[in-house]
Every structure is written in C-alpha cells, then in structure tokens.
Amino acid sequence: QVQLVESGGGLVQAGGSLRLSCVASGIIFTINKMGWYRQAPGKQRELVASMTSGGSTNYADSVKGRFTISRDNTKHTVYLQMNSLKPEDTAVYYCNADLLRGSYWGKGTLVTVSS
C-alpha cells in the first residue's frame, strides 16, 4: 500500500511563486519515477514534470524555465517549485509515483493564479 499526500497549493497572484510537496508513505522499496500532473477545467490531465530515481527530468513545454522539480529519494518526497505563475497554470495538481507494482496518485491540490 502506498499513500501520497500533497501540500502547498493555494491562491497566488500572477507572477508569484508556490512550492508543492508530495510525500509517499507505505510499503516502498524503490519509486522509479515521481511527478506532477495537472487538470484544468474542461481539459484532460497532463504531465507537468517528472523525475526518475536516477535524476532524469521531463517537463511540459508550457512550464519549462518556470517550474523546477526536485526529489529526495531517502524521504520519498518530490517537490515542484513554481515561479512566474500565470493564470493558465490554474488547475488541480496531482502527485504521481510509479513503482514496479503499479502507479499511485494523490488526491490533488488546487492551485489558483489570479490575474
């Protein structure tokens, strides 16, 4: 059993910053990949950023240069530093962890960026 708990969402002004955190707990040997997805109203869920246990990263084109993903493997924690936020970043952000036995999701945290 794996549980993901996100924190750090909230309301910010355009141009502001926010840092999301996600902690994985449970029976875990190795988390191969952790990442962040988001879903805006009327749109499908999309990848924001991900990082493998080896440090390889992947970013959506829309957030490159503004968002930074980091990971603490010993704590099974992933972070998303969000800078220069735009109204179009408004969405529910979900934490994801891929293990050998399957993929797990957090409940999501709402990020709202006002203009």
Side-chain angles (χ1 to χ4, degrees), residues 4-5 20 24 27 33 62-63 65 72 81 90 94 96 99 102 111:
L4 304 178
V5 179
L20 306 182
I27 303 174
K33 183 171 67 177
S62 60
V63 306
D72 187 333
Q81 180 65 46
T90 296
Y94 298 90
N96 172 257
L99 285 72
V111 173

Side-chain angles (χ1 to χ4, degrees), residues 69-109:
I69 189 170
S70 60
R71 180 176 176 179
D72 187 333
N73 291 331
T74 62
K75 298 180 179 180
H76 296 141
T77 301
V78 65
Y79 306 92
L80 185 67
Q81 180 65 46
M82 308 165 67
N83 298 326
S84 301
L85 284 163
K86 304 175 181 179
E88 51 262 44
D89 294 319
T90 296
V92 177
Y93 285 70
Y94 298 90
C95 179
N96 172 257
D98 287 332
L99 285 72
L100 182 62
R101 64 178 181 270
S103 182
Y104 299 86
W105 295 88
K107 298 295 184 182
T109 183

Side-chain angles (χ1 to χ4, degrees), residues 16-73:
S17 298
L18 207 61
R19 190 173 90 149
L20 306 182
S21 300
C22 174
V23 180
S25 62
I27 303 174
I28 302 172
F29 291 97
T30 301
I31 301 178
N32 297 316
K33 183 171 67 177
M34 296 189 75
W36 294 93
Y37 292 71
R38 68 185 182 188
Q39 187 167 19
K43 296 184 177 181
Q44 293 186 325
R45 186 177 299 184
E46 64 175 354
L47 173 70
V48 178
S50 65
M51 176 176 280
T52 67
S53 60
S56 179
T57 59
N58 188 32
Y59 292 92
D61 289 339
S62 60
V63 306
K64 288 181 179 178
R66 299 189 297 119
F67 293 6
T68 302
I69 189 170
S70 60
R71 180 176 176 179
D72 187 333
N73 291 331

